[in-house]
Every structure is written in structure tokens, then in C-alpha cells.
């Protein structure tokens, strides 16, 4: 029996392409997932107007052994993605202002929460190590962590640090394999369970690299790395907006980079001056513009 990987998608397809009875059952399930996850086979059959053997066949057509097996996968789907299946209705009053407030207030709260829980002694020590590293490898997989790895590279190169970001899982392991005792590897993972990132940390350690993780406490990555900057992602329940964790992680990146810049001191200024000068080639003579575009 093939195990269903996504029972909700299978139900959606069944509601369109199944037999008449399967379509009726699938529509009934999708209309009230919670009820079906708890109902007896007799109740389901009676409500849809089919026989109990038809319900059993329906479950088997979905790739389950029977109703009990089907309920297991249904309960799992509700626990993982239920908030996306039955969301709270949106309030449309003053929608534009509500959206602006939701984003800005959540971002501010996320940054403040990260700052309050941050071990600055560890962060400053990490920055001191980066400042004297022969080379720095930044790695991360997934939407947020890969963006942070790239952003760390973007911030460090202008300080004269030899730095590279890698977000491809296989290349993360390959670059880790050529690490040396002069290498500092910075690993990002919100969950702390990105397999390629953990593997790269362990590979780099074999060759004497210093490994730093910015990740969830007590995660597999936290246990693997030499030094950990703890970051706990807490969501606010608004499933329509992007996660505010990005802002919190970005603030930690900026804190590390600021500390690196202060540690390296005036020698970073010439690089910054050159980058600022290069912006002038855009014929935009405004000293208030940032270093870049």
C-alpha cells in the first residue's frame, strides 16, 4: 500500500476526478476535516449517503489501509497545515493601514525579542573570530537562512573580509571539505535541522575550521557547531503575511557585522570609501545614499 504523502492534495484531486461516491466523500471530508477525523465509519456513511464498505474503498483509493489509517494521515495534515485550511476571516476595514501596522509592529516586536534574548558576549566573541579569519564561509538553506548567508557575505566583503556564501546543499559540503584552520564557517538555520547545513559543519570541523551556528537552541545544528548564537523563531499567527523572523535574524547579522567593523577598526574605511565612490558613477550625487543600491 502506497503511503499518502499529502492527504489533502489527494482529497482535492479525488473530489474532481474520482468516482461519484468518491467525489461525494472527498467533498464531505474537505468541508469538515475535524468532524471526519473523529467520526465513526457509520456516521460518515450515513451523512454522505453511501455504504460503510464504500467508505473503506474510498480510504484505500487514497492510498490508506482503511479508515483508521486514513484518520491518522488526516489528523497529521490538520496538525501541520490546519491553519491554512480554515483561516479566520479577514477584516476588510481600513485594510491598507491594517496591513502596514501588521508588518511594522511584528517586525519591531521580533527584533526586540531577539535583542532581549541575545548573548552579546558570545556575539562579540564571534565577531572577533570573524575579524581575524583567513576566510569565512556562510551557509544556509531555505528561504530565510539562505538569504541571511548571502546578506552576511554582502556585509563582510566590504570590510575586507575574505567571505563566500553558499546556499546549494551539495556545494556547502564541498566547500566545507576544503576548509582549513583559518576558516570560520557561519551556519544559518531557523529550525536547526537543515541536513546539508549540519553536514557541512561536521565536514568543516574535520579540517580544523571554527564553526558558528545561528539557530534554534538545542537543535541538531546547535549541538554540532562549536559556538551557537541562539535564535528562537516565534510567529504571531498571521498566516497571510511573511514571517517576521527575517527582520530579527537580519538584526543579528547587522550586530555581528558592526562588531566586526569596530574590531577591524580604521582599516575598513578605505574599502567603504571606494564603494561609496563607485556609487558616484551612477551620476547620483547624494552622500545620504547607502553603500550600494
Amino acid at each position: 500500500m502506497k503511503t499518502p504523502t499529502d492527504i489533502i492534495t489527494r482529497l482535492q484531486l479525488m473530489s474532481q476526478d474520482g468516482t461519484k461516491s468518491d467525489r461525494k466523500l472527498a467533498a464531505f471530508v474537505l468541508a469538515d476535516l475535524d468532524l471526519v477525523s473523529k467520526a465513526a465509519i457509520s456516521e460518515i456513511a450515513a451523512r454522505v449517503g453511501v455504504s460503510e464498505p464504500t467508505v473503506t474503498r474510498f480510504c484505500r483509493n487514497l492510498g490508506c489501509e482503511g479508515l483508521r489509517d486514513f484518520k491518522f494521515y488526516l489528523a497529521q495534515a490538520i496538525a501541520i497545515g490546519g491553519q491554512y485550511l480554515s483561516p479566520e476571516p479577514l477584516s476588510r476595514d481600513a485594510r491598507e493601514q491594517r496591513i502596514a501596522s501588521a508588518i511594522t509592529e511584528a517586525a519591531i516586536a521580533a527584533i526586540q525579542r531577539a535583542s532581549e534574548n541575545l548573548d552579546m558576549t558570545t556575539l562579540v566573541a564571534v565577531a572577533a573570530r570573524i575579524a581575524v579569519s583567513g576566510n569565512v564561509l556562510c551557509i544556509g538553506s531555505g528561504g530565510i537562512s539562505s538569504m541571511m548567508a548571502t546578506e552576511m557575505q554582502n556585509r563582510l566583503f566590504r570590510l575586507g573580509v575574505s567571505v563566500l556564501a553558499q546556499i546549494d546543499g551539495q556545494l556547502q559540503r564541498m566547500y566545507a571539505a576544503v576548509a582549513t584552520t583559518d576558516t570560520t564557517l557561519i551556519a544559518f538555520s531557523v529550525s536547526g535541522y537543515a541536513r546539508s547545513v549540519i553536514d557541512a559543519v561536521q565536514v568543516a570541523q574535520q579540517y580544523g575550521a571554527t564553526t558558528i551556528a545561528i539557530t534554534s537552541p538545542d537543535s541538531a545544528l546547535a549541538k554540532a557547531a562549536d559556538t551557537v548564537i541562539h535564535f528562537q523563531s516565534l510567529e504571531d499567527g498571521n498566516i497571510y503575511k511573511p514571517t517576521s523572523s527575517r527582520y530579527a535574524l537580519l538584526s543579528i547579522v547587522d550586530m555581528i557585522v558592526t562588531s566586526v567593523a569596530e574590531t577591524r577598526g580604521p582599516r575598513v574605511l578605505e574599502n567603504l570609501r571606494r564603494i561609496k565612490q563607485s556609487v558616484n558613477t551612477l551620476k547620483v550625487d547624494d552622500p545620504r545614499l547607502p553603500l550600494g543600491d
Side-chain angles (χ1 to χ4, degrees):
M1 185 71 66
K2 186 176 180 181
T3 301
T5 55
D6 184 349
I7 196 69
I8 300 299
T9 296
R10 285 179 176 253
L11 282 165
Q12 291 167 343
L13 292 173
M14 186 75 78
S15 69
Q16 300 171 13
D17 303 326
T19 64
K20 183 178 179 180
S21 58
D22 281 348
R23 291 198 305 271
K24 289 173 61 178
L25 279 161
F28 174 70
V29 174
L30 290 169
D32 199 335
L33 298 171
D34 189 59
L35 183 150
V36 175
S37 69
K38 301 169 184 175
I41 189 170
S42 57
E43 181 181 357
I44 296 172
R47 282 177 175 263
V48 179
V50 297
S51 66
E52 293 183 18
T54 299
V55 176
T56 300
R57 282 196 299 272
F58 167 74
C59 295
R60 289 175 178 168
N61 288 341
L62 287 167
C64 304
E65 293 179 1
L67 182 62
R68 180 178 300 214
D69 194 38
F70 168 68
K71 284 186 175 183
F72 169 80
Y73 289 108
L74 189 61
Q76 190 178 63
I78 293 171
I80 294 171
Q83 60 181 334
Y84 301 101
L85 296 169
S86 302
E88 293 294 325
L90 284 173
S91 169
R92 294 292 178 175
D93 296 336
R95 182 175 58 169
E96 291 77 9
Q97 186 56 47
R98 177 180 53 78
I99 290 173
S101 297
I103 297 299
T104 55
E105 290 171 8
I108 292 168
I111 293 170
Q112 289 177 335
R113 189 164 52 243
S115 178
E116 291 167 358
N117 295 321
L118 204 56
D119 182 347
M120 287 304 297
T121 301
T122 298
L123 186 144
V124 170
V126 164
R129 167 62 192 179
I130 294 170
V132 298
S133 296
N135 58 86
V136 176
L137 174 61
C138 307
I139 62 174
S141 298
I144 299 174
S145 298
S146 59
M147 182 176 71
M148 291 304 146
T150 303
E151 179 63 8
M152 182 67 88
Q153 173 188 261
N154 186 35
R155 295 296 138 196
L156 289 178
F157 89 85
R158 64 190 69 201
L159 304 180
V161 176
S162 177
V163 57
L164 176 72
Q166 187 50 253
I167 63 174
D168 177 273
Q170 189 65 12
L171 285 172
Q172 287 170 355
R173 299 180 182 90
M174 293 167 66
Y175 275 97
V178 296
T180 69
T181 54
D182 288 331
T183 300
T184 296
L185 184 149
I186 306 173
F188 292 89
S189 177
V190 175
S191 69
Y193 291 92
R195 187 69 256 169
S196 66
V197 174
I198 297 168
D199 288 349
V201 165
Q202 293 171 336
V203 170
Q205 287 172 334
Q206 295 177 31
Y207 299 101
T210 297
T211 58
I212 297 160
I214 303 173
T215 190
S216 175
D218 302 318
S219 64
L221 178 58
K223 294 173 183 176
D226 299 321
T227 303
V228 181
I229 295 176
H230 292 158
F231 174 75
Q232 187 70 62
S233 173
L234 296 174
E235 297 307 314
D236 56 17
N238 187 338
I239 62 175
Y240 287 97
K241 72 175 185 60
T243 175
S244 300
S245 300
R246 296 163 17 256
Y247 302 105
L249 263 178
L250 186 59
S251 71
I252 293 174
V253 168
D254 284 357
M255 291 177 205
I256 294 171
V257 171
T258 299
S259 186
V260 171
E262 291 182 353
T263 300
R264 290 177 71 84
R267 58 180 163 158
V268 308
L269 299 180
E270 175 59 15
N271 280 357
L272 299 179
R273 185 198 66 78
R274 292 184 186 185
I275 294 169
K276 188 69 173 177
Q277 179 67 31
S278 74
V279 176
N280 195 53
T281 61
L282 300 175
K283 306 301 181 184
V284 181
D285 190 14
D286 186 349
R288 295 172 298 177
L289 290 175
L291 289 175
D293 200 350

